[in-house]
Amino acid sequence: MDKGEGGSTAGRDHYFSDERQKPPFDFRPIFIGADRAEHYKNIDERCEKMIIEGVLEETTECACSGNDLHQIAKAIGYKQTLDYLLRQDFKEGDKKAFIEYVEQFKAATRRYAAQQLKWHRKDLNFVWIEAPSTEKI
């Protein structure tokens, strides 16, 4: 059987314990990874888009509708938004606090993405393919 880009066929074997169950093809998940700098740039842009499209309002609505704040605060983005909205030193038009909130939102999202990448790279069942930069396409 062809090993393909990702190495051995062990990943396929992991999913099927009985030889009769194994399909006649290499069955493994594929992870397409981008350049780290470009990936982080995309994450930052996505976070900014979420803010522009109303994550502050959405979080406020969730908090005011009686939802469990502890549960809401577990989600990346919502936690940073709640921290920003419920901060003790609130001042009208506080640009410094807003900029800090945006940076914390982005940083938390990048950290989570880095954890996901680390997890995928450790899993030998995944075929890892580096995607070309979108700037090169």
Side-chain angles (χ1 to χ4, degrees), residues 54-121:
V55 74
L56 286 158
E57 292 84 358
E58 182 180 340
T59 306
T60 301
E61 286 176 22
C62 284
C64 291
S65 65
N67 289 309
D68 181 7
L69 290 181
H70 185 318
Q71 194 65 25
I72 295 168
K74 289 181 180 181
I76 295 171
Y78 288 100
K79 177 189 183 328
Q80 292 73 28
T81 304
L82 280 170
D83 289 348
Y84 171 70
L85 292 171
L86 301 174
R87 66 191 185 281
Q88 296 296 319
D89 60 343
F90 178 83
K91 294 178 206 138
E92 187 77 31
D94 190 349
K95 290 180 184 177
K96 182 181 176 195
F98 182 74
I99 291 168
E100 187 176 307
Y101 152 65
V102 172
E103 290 307 314
Q104 288 174 354
F105 188 161
K106 291 176 182 180
T109 306
R110 289 191 302 264
R111 278 191 303 274
Y112 185 70
Q115 288 173 343
Q116 288 178 320
L117 291 173
K118 187 177 178 181
W119 179 81
H120 285 296
R121 283 193 173 119

Side-chain angles (χ1 to χ4, degrees), residues 2 11 17 22-23 28 39 46 49 54 60-62 68 79 102 106 108 119 126 130-131 135:
D2 182 18
S17 59
K22 292 180 187 174
R28 286 181 288 166
H39 185 59
R46 177 68 182 128
K49 184 178 178 188
T60 301
E61 286 176 22
C62 284
D68 181 7
K79 177 189 183 328
V102 172
K106 291 176 182 180
W119 179 81
F126 278 84
E130 287 294 331
E135 294 175 5

Side-chain angles (χ1 to χ4, degrees), residues 17-28:
S17 59
D18 185 341
E19 189 68 36
R20 293 171 295 175
Q21 293 177 322
K22 292 180 187 174
F25 49 85
D26 189 1
F27 178 77
R28 286 181 288 166

